[in-house]
Each structure stands twice: as C-alpha cells, then as structure tokens.
Amino acid sequence: MDGRIKFRHLQTFIEVARQKSVGRAAEALALTQPAVTRTIRELEDYLGVDLFEKEGRGIRISRFGEVFLRHAGESIGAVKRGVDSIAQARNSMGPPLRIGALPTASATFLPDVMVDFLKAGTGSLVTIVTGENRWLLDALRLGDLDLVVGRLAAPERMTGLQFEPLYSEEIGFAVRAGHPLLSRRNFSLSELAHYIVLMPTQGSVIRPFVDRFLLTNGIADLSNTIETVSDSFGRAFVERHDAVWIISRGVVFPEIQSGRIALLDIDSSETRGAVGLTMRADAAPTLSLSIMVNTIREHLKVAGRVL
Amino acid sequence: MDGRIKFRHLQTFIEVARQKSVGRAAEALALTQPAVTRTIRELEDYLGVDLFEKEGRGIRISRFGEVFLRHAGESIGAVKRGVDSIAQARNSMGPPLRIGALPTASATFLPDVMVDFLKAGTGSLVTIVTGENRWLLDALRLGDLDLVVGRLAAPERMTGLQFEPLYSEEIGFAVRAGHPLLSRRNFSLSELAHYIVLMPTQGSVIRPFVDRFLLTNGIADLSNTIETVSDSFGRAFVERHDAVWIISRGVVFPEIQSGRIALLDIDSSETRGAVGLTMRADAAPTLSLSIMVNTIREHLKVAGRVL
DNA sequence: GTATTACATACCAGAACGGATATGAATTTT
DNA sequence: AAAATTCATATCCGTTCTGGTATGTAATAC
C-alpha cells in the first residue's frame, strides 16, 4: 500500500462522493474548493486511477471510485470503532470481564452464576451486554467482549471462535396459562395463523431454526407476526393476549415453573441445538475469564439442566 | 476521531505488537528505535491511554492495546483491499462484469449462459470467480463482484443483498456407476460410514444443510471424510473409488446424464433450497449486469430446469 | 559493581504537508 | 454572447512531520 495515503484523503474522498460535488464537500469539510480538489488529485495519483469523471460542469464518481469508496469507508470506520472501544474500555476500570448474553442464558442460569462468581472474590468488574447474535459475535472477535453465552451460532459465523457446549435445548411455543390451544388435544400447526405470533428477529441465532421448522411443517407464512428480541416484551405480551411466542425454552423457564406460561404440546425436537460458551480461539484467557468459565461449568453440573 | 492519527501510527503500532519489541519493530520497519518509540507515544497521546506497559526491560501490550490492535488491523486491511480491488479493476478494462459462481451454477447453466451473453455483443469483459460462499458475498457487498450465482445463503449473511430465485435443487449422494450401494434395495444411511465420504467444507453454503440432514437421520459422525470444495477433485475421486460424494445435484448433473455417476436413492427433500441470483440491494445495476441477469433468466426459462 | 540490554527523552533539520489566494477552462444558463 | 457556475491549476508560505543523532534510565546479566 502506498504510504502516502492519509486518512485525510479517505475522508475527503468519501465526502466528495457523498455530496457528489467538490464545492459542497469543501464547505462540509470547512475547506476551500482547491484544497479539496488537490487532495482528490493526490489520492488519484497514489492509486493510479481517476476516482471521479467530469460530467457537465459537475463530477460523477468513476467505477474505480465506486469500488474504492466502500473500502475507504470500512477503513475509517474501523479506526472510529477502535477509538470508541478504547473509550468504553477506559470507563470500566480494572481488569474487566465483558460478557455477551443471549436471552436463553440471561433469563436462566446467568444470574445465579454471577452470584457465585462475585463470591469467588476476584474483585473484577463484570459487564453483561445483550444484543443481536451477529453483533455479539463480531464484538467478541474484535476483543470488545470476552465471552458470549448462548446458543451455538451457524458454523460460518464462528471463524476464529471456539465453542464449548453446556447443554442443549429446544425452541418452544409459549402461551399464557389458560390459552385456548392448551385444551385442544390434537391441534394442527396451521392453527397458529389464527393467533398473533411473536417471532425472534431475523438476526437472532434461533430464527433459522424456527424458519426451517415452520417450512418443514408446511407453514408458509404467518400473517400476524411481531418480530422481537425483547423477552420482557414477549412475556408481557403473551400474558395479556392469546398470542403464541416462539422462543428458546430457557427464556420462559421461570414462568413455566410458576405456571404463568405454558408450552404448546408440539414436537419441536428438530429445533434442538447446543447452548454453551463462545470464546476467541486465539488469545489465552484472562484469569478472571477462566474463573468465570469454571463457575458456569460448575453451576450447570450441579443444576444438571435439560430443557 | 482524532485527525492526527495516521496510517503510519497504526502500521508502527501493529508491528510493535507483533514483534513484542520496540527494537525489533524498528528494524522491521527500517527505522531507528527512537522513531518507533515516538510514534507509539504519539498514538497513545491521541488515544489517551497507554498501549503498552513496561515489563522487565521489555514491553507488553496493554489491555487497551489488545482491543485497539484488532481495529487497527481492520483499518489498514481495508485500505489494502481497496487498493488491490482497484488494481484488479484496472487490469480488466472496459465496463467489466464480475460474477461469483458457486459450484452448482458453474457446472451447469453458466457456461451456456456465457455463450448467449457474449453473443448479445455488449463487448464487456466478464470475469468469473469461484470461492467460498462467505468470501464471495463479502466481495459482492464491497463492490468487488457484481453478481453471485448459486444457492441462497443463510439469512443473516444476506444483509444489504437481494436474492432472486431461479429454481430449487436438492443435495445428492453421488457415487460411481456400479457402486455396491446402488444395487442394495433398502440400505440404511448409517452404512455410509463404511465408505469414504466427501463433504463440502465448513464455509460452504450447503454444509449446514448437510449437517442438519445427517443429524436428523441420526448419523453422528462419519469418520472417513474428506472436506473439499473442488468439484474436479470430487469427480475424479468418486469415479476411481467407492466413495460417496455429498454435493449439490447440479454439480454432477452432466455425469449423471452420461451415466458415469449415479445418485443413491435417498430422500433428501429436507435439503431442498433455492438457487438464484444474489446482488447488491442498493446500487442501480449496470447495463451489462441487467443484460446478464436477463440472459440467465431467459436461459433457464427455456431449459426449465428442476433437479 | 560494572556491563549490557532495551526502551525513553531531547533536540535538530530538511522535507512534506496542507492550507490559502488568484486565475484558468469548460459548461450551462439567460 | 455574456453571465454564472463548477471544477482545475499555479504559486506561495507557515506549520507540522518524520526522520535522524545523542544521551538518559531502568532492569538484568556477569
């Protein structure tokens, strides 16, 4: 790569591409028009191609510009994220432990595990974040998280990561206690269409399992669906309406115990999948991370959980 | 982001992190040791944190450094890729059309389509590249490819992309003509374990389908497996040995026609999936891209293919 | 204690950087 | 045809950059 390329060149290039005008870009960047022109000229010189073409009395991005634009955006985006990550890391002083939790974990064993872990007295600060699977795994890969607890993601999303299974669970069809479908003996899956159905969002780990299950059972499209990852929303909604909530069984485990929510009697063995710990494959684990991992293992050995 | 950060800072930082030594990094970068030290100091200053800590008479990367390292690598990697892309784009003059082809497409209709397309006389240069699904889709998203032809990828890999289905196909279990399993009437899937099995690699689109199918049918692990994406290898291997090749039916379609390869009689309807065109969702398609897409559509309408 | 190793700091000088202003050239508008 | 718009080019100038050399300091080795 040509060492003369500076971030300034990328910034300017991106701005011109966005504004489709040298003049406006100059204004946006608080520079004069010739300064912008020259910066673009330099970048074109370094790259050996024209990034823009003249069109009338304006400009238009060239095919080279088009391809370079995406990479340029990637590049400055990466640094921005890097700076942000550091800012975040600085706020949480100490040797911090950052855990990404998928819903099935955060609703079940994770709270108990945390108690045990804090008792172990490592003195480390622990952060627990929730979010979409894709985002969590990216953060893990980039070192912004140390551990992700939840369902095993699709294999192609796991490069550079390692997975340690803890137990396996199925997806369940959760409804409020006293729901009409509960009293029916042999109901058909197609009857789901009569109710509002809460689905996991597209980005979630379990969504492909759900899609596949529905397809396999000939359910083409459910019209009344709400996509949500918020389990607090799901819980509240299902308890108040006759909706059906398609969700990891672990998420509603406490409510099933207490009898407020029940599962429809559906054979969902096809949706069984492993729940466990996802970590970076490369780096050696921190001390506190090892302790956390051990605590989780121990806890589940005692609880002996199967869903 | 602090505008004072230069690529030079990132380069130097990465080198020091890699070498775990200021002196060695200086040598690798053809600089003096103080120059490297100062560059690191500057970067630390801009970021507001220490990237390295003293350890004995050497240094060790700090937790902040660890985090920033990955992002820094991302950033310069992006620019490098951008420059490479341009270099590639320059070699193929004209308004080029870059197509990523998954095996099932490149073995079947794509060659014929290309003939039709060139006859249309757009004069555009066409490049066809093959590779792992993940890589192809990333390249598509970044604008290094215009079109990917093949199986629909998992939904979470499709952000920013749109898919147009052409036909659907199943995965097949291909063996040489005269293979022992062909004469058996009702054989069990578990007998596969007696033969060498060629599997698609982890990164491929169809691997999840295969895994799921095997799991569903209680095949835990096949011991004698070879993972390959090379269909030339697969073809050669299967014709010479009693191996079983798990592959998209389209890939072996010509050989089945000619009778050199046959499919085992296994109900693999569960593995049915859509084959089609994947394009960027945003940008308006080029003229030559539209023509190509139309050519493919027309061709398949005539061929009326179902596998 | 002395030597050695490895990084840190201070200071210097030429190169380049990065902005400005003034002006030119091509197109479109009036 | 003249005016207006938009980008390109030329030249200038203070500042920052980025390398160097010389030297300091802390930890380890002998």
Side-chain angles (χ1 to χ4, degrees):
Chain A
M1 181 191 104
D2 195 314
R4 292 169 300 178
I5 300 178
K6 307 265 167 62
F7 282 115
R8 181 175 59 90
H9 293 107
L10 305 186
Q11 301 260 27
T12 308
F13 166 60
I14 289 171
E15 194 58 41
V16 173
R18 183 156 45 206
Q19 303 277 2
K20 301 180 204 302
S21 153
V22 176
R24 280 200 298 278
E27 197 173 359
L29 294 166
L31 294 173
T32 56
Q33 170 261 313
V36 171
T37 294
R38 191 159 62 110
T39 302
I40 296 294
R41 256 327 84 72
E42 285 170 1
L43 183 55
E44 288 178 334
D45 193 37
Y46 303 156
L47 294 174
V49 294
D50 284 357
L51 265 5
F52 297 96
E53 294 160 1
K54 314 187 64 160
E55 182 182 51
R57 61 186 181 192
I59 53 159
R60 187 191 49 201
I61 193 161
S62 76
R63 66 198 186 85
F64 298 113
E66 201 114 35
V67 309
F68 191 67
L69 178 57
R70 302 167 196 272
H71 297 278
E74 252 311 292
S75 181
I76 63 168
V79 183
K80 283 214 179 98
R81 286 194 297 277
V83 176
D84 288 352
S85 302
I86 284 189
Q88 266 192 298
R90 189 161 47 170
N91 288 339
S92 65
M93 300 298 284
L97 194 55
R98 296 142 305 173
I99 302 179
L102 292 171
T104 192
S106 57
T108 52
F109 60 89
L110 212 47
D112 298 341
V113 167
M114 290 309 300
V115 175
D116 288 359
F117 176 76
L118 293 176
K119 258 191 232 153
T122 60
S124 352
L125 187 72
V126 183
T127 318
I128 296 184
V129 302
T130 319
E132 253 194 12
N133 171 245
R134 159 196 291 271
W135 188 85
L136 289 180
L137 291 186
D138 281 348
L140 179 60
R141 230 185 309 266
L142 285 170
D144 295 336
L145 289 177
D146 301 304
L147 174 68
V148 169
V149 189
R151 232 178 208 255
L152 171 60
E156 67 269 22
R157 312 229 66 246
M158 291 293 291
T159 45
L161 304 178
Q162 63 178 100
F163 179 80
E164 176 184 328
L166 292 168
Y167 59 91
S168 77
E169 70 164 10
E170 295 178 16
I171 287 163
F173 293 73
V175 295
R176 67 169 176 82
H179 189 283
L181 281 178
L182 285 172
S183 53
R184 304 276 313 282
R185 260 270 171 247
N186 276 334
F187 70 95
S188 150
L189 264 177
S190 58
E191 291 185 55
L192 284 183
H194 304 151
Y195 299 92
I196 295 178
V197 177
L198 273 60
M199 295 268 279
T201 52
Q202 292 289 347
S204 69
V205 203
I206 60 171
R207 180 55 181 272
F209 289 85
V210 174
D211 284 344
R212 167 153 291 273
F213 178 80
L214 292 177
L215 268 173
T216 309
N217 290 279
I219 313 291
D221 40 16
L222 298 164
S223 43
N224 287 319
T225 59
I226 300 176
E227 290 196 350
T228 179
V229 274
S230 162
D231 46 303
S232 50
F233 174 85
R235 246 184 294 272
F237 195 88
V238 159
E239 289 189 15
R240 257 169 247 157
H241 303 83
D242 283 348
V244 178
W245 185 18
I246 306 178
I247 191 69
S248 288
R249 298 194 171 193
V251 176
V252 287
F253 185 69
E255 282 77 11
I256 292 174
Q257 296 290 65
S258 72
R260 292 192 295 153
I261 286 185
L263 293 178
L264 295 180
D265 182 22
I266 293 173
D267 174 19
S268 55
S269 54
E270 191 187 346
T271 63
R272 179 164 289 278
V275 173
L277 309 175
T278 307
M279 285 167 283
R280 272 190 303 284
D282 57 337
T286 337
L287 177 63
S288 50
L289 176 56
S290 315
I291 295 177
M292 172 61 78
V293 169
N294 263 321
T295 311
I296 295 176
R297 272 200 281 256
E298 286 303 313
H299 186 87
L300 287 171
K301 199 179 290 171
V302 174
R305 127 180 250 93
V306 178
L307 287 176
Chain B
M1 181 189 107
D2 194 314
R4 291 170 300 178
I5 300 178
K6 307 265 171 60
F7 282 115
R8 182 175 58 91
H9 294 107
L10 304 187
Q11 300 261 28
T12 308
F13 166 60
I14 289 170
E15 194 57 43
V16 173
R18 183 156 44 206
Q19 304 276 2
K20 301 180 203 302
S21 151
V22 176
R24 280 199 298 277
E27 196 172 1
L29 294 165
L31 293 174
T32 57
Q33 168 261 313
V36 171
T37 294
R38 191 159 61 109
T39 302
I40 296 295
R41 261 321 90 71
E42 285 170 0
L43 184 54
E44 288 179 336
D45 194 37
Y46 303 155
L47 294 174
V49 295
D50 285 357
L51 264 6
F52 297 96
E53 294 159 1
K54 316 188 60 162
E55 182 182 53
R57 60 187 181 190
I59 54 160
R60 187 189 49 201
I61 194 161
S62 76
R63 65 199 188 88
F64 298 113
E66 200 114 36
V67 170
F68 191 68
L69 178 58
R70 300 165 196 274
H71 296 278
E74 251 313 292
S75 181
I76 62 167
V79 183
K80 282 215 180 98
R81 285 193 298 274
V83 175
D84 287 351
S85 304
I86 284 189
Q88 265 191 301
R90 187 160 49 168
N91 288 340
S92 66
M93 299 299 284
L97 195 55
R98 297 142 306 174
I99 303 179
L102 292 172
T104 192
S106 58
T108 52
F109 60 89
L110 213 48
D112 298 342
V113 167
M114 290 309 301
V115 175
D116 288 0
F117 177 76
L118 292 176
K119 257 189 231 153
T122 59
S124 356
L125 188 73
V126 183
T127 317
I128 297 184
V129 300
T130 319
E132 253 195 13
N133 173 244
R134 156 197 292 272
W135 188 85
L136 289 179
L137 292 186
D138 281 348
L140 179 61
R141 232 186 308 267
L142 284 169
D144 295 336
L145 289 177
D146 301 304
L147 173 69
V148 169
V149 189
R151 240 183 201 249
L152 172 59
E156 68 268 22
R157 311 232 65 244
M158 291 292 293
T159 45
L161 305 177
Q162 62 178 100
F163 178 81
E164 177 184 326
L166 293 169
Y167 61 91
S168 77
E169 70 163 11
E170 296 178 13
I171 288 165
F173 294 73
V175 295
R176 66 169 175 81
H179 188 284
L181 281 178
L182 285 172
S183 53
R184 302 279 312 281
R185 260 270 173 250
N186 275 333
F187 70 94
S188 151
L189 265 177
S190 58
E191 294 185 53
L192 285 183
H194 303 152
Y195 299 93
I196 294 178
V197 177
L198 300 181
M199 295 268 279
T201 53
Q202 291 290 348
S204 70
V205 202
I206 60 171
R207 180 55 182 272
F209 289 84
V210 175
D211 283 344
R212 168 153 291 273
F213 178 80
L214 293 178
L215 267 174
T216 311
N217 290 280
I219 314 292
D221 40 17
L222 298 164
S223 43
N224 287 319
T225 60
I226 301 175
E227 290 197 350
T228 179
V229 274
S230 163
D231 45 304
S232 50
F233 174 85
R235 245 184 293 273
F237 194 89
V238 159
E239 291 190 14
R240 255 168 247 157
H241 302 83
D242 282 349
V244 178
W245 185 18
I246 307 178
I247 192 68
S248 289
R249 297 194 174 194
V251 175
V252 287
F253 185 69
E255 283 77 12
I256 293 174
Q257 296 291 67
S258 72
R260 291 192 295 154
I261 285 184
L263 293 177
L264 295 180
D265 181 24
I266 294 174
D267 174 18
S268 56
S269 55
E270 190 189 347
T271 62
R272 180 164 288 277
V275 173
L277 310 176
T278 307
M279 284 165 283
R280 272 191 302 282
D282 57 337
T286 336
L287 177 63
S288 50
L289 177 56
S290 316
I291 295 177
M292 172 61 79
V293 169
N294 263 321
T295 311
I296 295 177
R297 272 199 281 255
E298 285 304 312
H299 185 88
L300 287 171
K301 200 179 291 170
V302 174
R305 124 180 251 95
V306 177
L307 287 177

